[in-house]
Amino acid sequence: MGEEEKEQGTVRYVRCAACGTWNPGTGDNCSHCGKPLKKGVKESPSEAHPPSPKAPAQAFCSNCRKPLPLNSKFCGYCGAPLPAATAPSSKPEEPGTPAQPVATTGLPKKVETPTSKVPRSVPPPPVLTTPPRSPRRAIETGPPSPPLGELARGTQGFAGLRPPTIEASIIEIKPDGSRGKKLSIGKQAVIGRAMCDANYPEDALLSARHASLENRGIKVILKDLGSQNGTFIKQRKDSELSNGDIFLVGRELFRFVTKDTAPPAADMAGEGTLVMTGAPMFQASTVSAKLERIQINGQVAEEFKLEKPETVIGRSSGDLVFKNDPYMSGKHAKITQRMGVFLLEDCKSRNGVYRRIQSETEVVDGDEFFLGEELFRVEIKTVEA
């Protein structure tokens, strides 16, 4: 092979006559100065496989993807100008990259002989750098999703389930049914004649500190503070009467009293017990009850025995009639007796039935209660936590 040509690895190189740069033999132009290369010089068979020096580092043309010497300014295959070359990476060639054609022009075919089977040293393959990838078209997938940090902005930390709270108040109800003053209930509101949250100094039936309402977050409690004349709440549904209960029908005040008439257990035991010969007979209740109509100070004015299964109280009809009470309906209330249990029922009266609370009781929205001569209505609103 002449001085102007040499073979390195599997690629034949040709020296440019103009600038002296070595170029692959398959190219038509010099990769350094761009001038045509002179080719056609044939090699002798003895120079077909000279010992090759170490293959230099290579770059690749971004247009035709052919290997070129590093720092080339023009492609020796297509003549395209090359950008300033940078040091190539040492990554292996990606699978799928087409193999470069090996120049075999001018090389004679080698004839195999028995003596030619002697193994000879094979020069190492040239180090090829990964050619630059061709740009790919971006896949349109809509606007990018915001990062997780953006999604979490403004989100409050979970602190557990919280029960709803309430806002409570009471409204005065005047004798003509109109609304009076409104009193909001914070933690507690006290009603009385003096030194309270709601003061009524002219009401002689009120105690100094008569009753209170407590807002306990999820419910409101009406509590009597040991007053002389008591606190009454309007009955919402039929309720059982117990010994000593006091209730108001119209302007009449009643006290329910019971007495157990059953003989002592010792008198029923012992000798003389009969042998049962059949099904037992249901016996009448051994509890006797009566109603006491009382004054505001607790003094008894009248007594009425409750011997019938049903006792009706009214202004025009019933078992207990009070014609002179303008606040009582014609058939106002009734007391029913069932197996020793006495129930107080409101017969859809206009003014309702009020029961005196023993110590404290829960009130709900719309409940009405009175103390002394003052009537109030409860208003409760639920507020989410």
Side-chain angles (χ1 to χ4, degrees):
M1 183 181 297
E3 184 181 359
E4 301 299 325
E5 298 183 7
K6 63 173 62 177
E7 183 176 324
Q8 296 182 7
T10 59
V11 180
R12 185 171 60 88
Y13 285 83
V14 178
R15 184 190 296 273
C16 176
C19 63
T21 301
W22 289 97
N23 297 274
T26 56
D28 296 328
N29 299 315
C30 178
S31 61
H32 184 72
C33 62
K35 294 185 178 182
L37 298 176
K38 293 182 179 181
K39 295 191 268 185
V41 181
K42 296 183 179 181
E43 303 173 41
S44 62
S46 61
E47 296 176 346
H49 300 283
S52 59
K54 184 177 180 181
Q58 295 177 324
F60 289 84
C61 175
S62 60
N63 184 38
C64 63
R65 302 170 64 86
K66 296 296 181 66
L68 301 170
L70 193 62
N71 298 325
S72 298
K73 297 182 179 180
F74 298 90
C75 178
Y77 297 94
C78 64
L82 302 178
T86 57
S89 61
S90 59
K91 294 181 180 180
E93 184 178 2
E94 292 184 359
T97 303
Q100 304 299 326
V102 180
T104 57
T105 305
L107 295 180
K109 297 181 180 180
K110 186 176 180 179
V111 180
E112 292 287 336
T113 61
T115 58
S116 64
K117 293 184 180 181
V118 179
R120 58 182 178 85
S121 60
V122 180
V127 178
L128 301 179
T129 58
T130 304
R133 297 182 180 180
S134 59
R136 298 181 180 179
R137 184 178 180 183
I139 301 176
E140 298 182 359
T141 58
S145 301
L148 294 178
E150 295 292 337
L151 294 176
R153 284 183 183 177
T155 303
Q156 297 182 357
F158 179 70
L161 297 177
R162 299 179 181 178
T165 58
I166 57 175
E167 293 179 355
S169 59
I170 55 175
I171 306 294
E172 289 181 355
I173 305 299
K174 296 183 178 180
D176 59 357
S178 61
R179 295 162 63 98
K181 294 186 299 183
K182 179 177 181 179
L183 175 64
S184 297
I185 304 171
K187 290 186 177 180
Q188 185 184 52
V190 180
I191 306 171
R193 260 201 340 263
M195 305 296 291
C196 299
D197 299 290
N199 298 309
Y200 299 89
E202 297 180 358
D203 193 338
L205 297 178
L206 285 177
S207 298
R209 292 172 59 86
H210 196 108
S212 68
L213 291 108
E214 298 179 6
N215 186 344
R216 299 183 180 176
I218 58 175
K219 60 183 179 180
V220 177
I221 300 299
L222 173 63
K223 185 176 183 179
D224 185 81
L225 301 178
S227 64
Q228 178 66 33
N229 298 318
T231 302
F232 293 77
I233 185 170
K234 191 174 184 178
Q235 180 172 287
R236 294 191 299 268
K237 59 183 180 179
D238 301 343
S239 58
E240 182 179 351
L241 287 170
S242 300
N243 185 38
D245 282 349
I246 297 175
F247 60 93
L248 184 73
V249 178
R251 297 295 290 182
E252 308 300 327
L253 199 59
F254 298 92
R255 179 165 54 208
F256 178 75
V257 180
T258 60
K259 182 180 180 181
D260 192 356
T261 59
D267 296 343
M268 299 180 62
E271 299 180 358
T273 303
L274 299 177
V275 178
M276 184 175 66
T277 58
M281 297 179 63
F282 290 105
Q283 298 182 2
S285 173
T286 59
V287 177
S288 65
K290 64 179 179 178
L291 279 183
E292 296 177 345
R293 186 173 69 87
I294 61 177
Q295 305 293 337
I296 192 67
N297 58 4
Q299 184 178 356
V300 178
E302 291 182 272
E303 292 185 357
F304 308 95
K305 292 185 178 180
L306 301 177
E307 298 175 338
K308 300 170 59 176
E310 181 178 286
T311 301
V312 177
I313 306 172
R315 184 165 55 90
S316 59
S317 63
D319 301 288
L320 304 179
V321 179
F322 301 88
K323 297 181 179 181
N324 297 325
D325 190 341
Y327 296 95
M328 189 177 294
S329 299
K331 184 179 179 181
H332 198 110
K334 66 180 179 180
I335 299 175
T336 58
Q337 178 185 177
R338 298 173 185 172
M339 299 297 295
V341 177
F342 294 83
L343 295 177
L344 175 61
E345 303 178 22
D346 183 13
C347 299
K348 299 181 180 179
S349 64
R350 180 175 181 179
N351 294 318
V353 176
Y354 289 82
R355 295 190 59 168
R356 182 173 180 173
I357 64 175
Q358 298 295 334
S359 175
E360 64 180 37
T361 186
E362 181 181 356
V363 292
V364 298
D365 183 51
D367 274 352
E368 295 183 0
F369 66 94
F370 81 87
L371 49 157
E373 293 289 339
E374 313 304 325
L375 180 64
F376 300 92
R377 180 180 294 124
V378 179
E379 290 187 353
I380 299 176
K381 295 180 180 179
T382 302
V383 180
E384 296 296 334

